[in-house]
């Protein structure tokens, strides 16, 4: 007999899920109005309906929150690495300038032009090294951030969120960013509503 109880509870669950789906869809449709018109046109009723379905149980909200936290930590870490490199470069430059100033002060007048030429060459090669290291750091940052985007796309695709798959197409990336923004805004709205009722 207990096995049959689940059959009687199902229609209520289905009705509840349908009600939640309509609510989320309605909220998404209202949030879309804040996006630029070019983005609004790409977010069809089907995409929004599929997104609302994916959001019903709240798991996608948690996934997006986790992805955002990982992204922020990565960005902070990369920024700190760049700041550290910049500080190291400044220290190298100051150290070289100090050595060069000391050498100029103890230099005999007849060797001055030779010393200045050698120092300019030395400073030029340091600046070239600094420029190259900064370029390599910037490339590393771009590659790491690109990898984070791919990880996010893959995670959301596996979670069944409509519109997410691995792509580098700028139009598709804009669409995905808009979908993420909608999820984030809806999540904020839901957490504010829950605070009011708790």
């Amino acid at each position: 007999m207990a096995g049959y109880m689940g059959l009687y509870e199902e229609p209520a669950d289905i009705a509840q899920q349908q009600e939640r789906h309509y609510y989320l869809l309605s909220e998404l449709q209202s949030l879309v109005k804040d996006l630029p018109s070019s983005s609004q046109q790409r977010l069809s009723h089907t995409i929004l309906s599929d997104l609302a379905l994916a959001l019903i149980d709240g798991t996608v909200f948690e996934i997006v929150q986790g992805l955002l936290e990982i992204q922020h930590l990565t960005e902070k870490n990369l920024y700190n690495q760049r700041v550290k490199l910049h500080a190291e470069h400044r220290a190298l430059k100051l150290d070289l300038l100090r050595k060069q100033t000391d050498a100029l002060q103890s230099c005999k007048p007849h060797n001055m032009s030779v010393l200045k030429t050698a120092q300019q060459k030395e400073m030029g090669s340091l600046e070239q090294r600094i420029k190259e290291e900064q370029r390599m750091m910037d490339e590393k940052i771009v590659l790491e951030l690109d990898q984070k985007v791919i990880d996010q796309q893959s995670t959301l695709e596996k979670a069944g969120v409509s519109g997410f798959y691995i792509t580098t197409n700028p139009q598709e990336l804009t669409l995905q960013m808009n979908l993420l923004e909608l999820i984030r805004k809806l999540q904020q709205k839901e957490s504010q509503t829950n605070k009011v009722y708790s």
Side-chain angles (χ1 to χ4, degrees):
M1 185 78 173
Y4 294 106
M5 289 301 272
L7 293 175
Y8 296 110
E9 291 171 3
E10 242 177 59
D13 288 347
I14 290 170
Q16 219 173 8
Q17 282 189 342
Q18 238 176 359
E19 191 178 311
R20 176 118 173 99
H21 178 250
Y22 291 140
Y23 163 76
L24 291 169
L25 179 57
S26 166
E27 290 295 321
L28 287 169
Q29 287 170 330
S30 111
L31 288 170
V32 165
K33 293 174 185 167
D34 296 337
L35 296 174
S37 60
S38 59
S39 297
Q40 288 180 29
Q41 292 166 4
R42 300 227 31 231
L43 293 166
S44 68
H45 179 79
T46 306
I47 290 174
L48 293 177
S49 180
D50 289 347
L51 180 58
L53 276 173
L55 296 173
I56 286 177
D57 71 354
T59 307
V60 172
F61 287 134
E62 292 171 22
I63 291 170
V64 167
Q65 189 60 43
L67 291 173
L68 279 173
E69 288 169 12
I70 291 168
Q71 181 180 333
H72 291 152
L73 285 172
T74 302
E75 288 169 354
K76 187 177 179 181
N77 183 27
L78 291 170
Y79 173 77
N80 288 338
Q81 286 178 34
R82 198 170 194 286
V83 167
K84 184 181 174 207
L85 183 68
H86 184 68
E88 288 169 7
H89 287 160
R90 263 188 60 211
L92 284 171
K93 237 177 170 174
L94 288 171
D95 190 44
L96 182 58
L97 282 170
R98 191 172 56 250
K99 285 178 185 171
Q100 288 183 345
T101 304
D102 292 346
L104 283 172
Q105 289 171 350
S106 63
C107 182
K108 304 275 188 260
H110 63 279
N111 290 333
M112 193 63 75
S113 66
V114 173
L115 180 65
K116 283 186 175 179
T117 303
Q119 286 183 342
Q120 283 176 339
K121 190 175 177 185
E122 193 179 18
M123 185 58 80
S125 90
L126 177 64
E127 285 177 347
Q128 187 60 43
R129 175 184 150 197
I130 287 172
K131 192 175 173 184
E132 182 63 18
E133 286 178 7
Q134 284 177 335
R135 185 189 61 74
M136 286 168 60
M137 172 63 79
D138 291 343
E139 282 179 11
K140 175 187 174 228
I141 289 171
V142 168
L143 286 172
E144 265 195 65
L145 292 175
D146 284 350
Q147 186 57 51
K148 279 290 163 255
V149 169
I150 290 168
D151 293 348
Q152 290 173 351
Q153 291 170 332
S154 173
T155 301
L156 291 166
E157 181 182 25
K158 286 174 186 165
V161 183
S162 178
F164 284 91
Y165 58 94
I166 295 171
T167 180
T168 54
N169 178 319
Q171 288 177 316
E172 294 304 309
L173 286 171
T174 301
L175 178 70
Q176 290 179 353
M177 286 166 51
N178 287 327
L179 289 170
L180 272 175
E181 184 66 16
L182 291 174
I183 293 168
R184 207 181 54 71
K185 283 182 177 176
L186 190 52
Q187 183 178 19
Q188 287 172 341
K189 193 170 186 176
E190 291 235 310
S191 69
Q192 286 170 350
T193 305
N194 290 341
K195 281 180 189 170
V196 170
Y197 290 113
S198 17

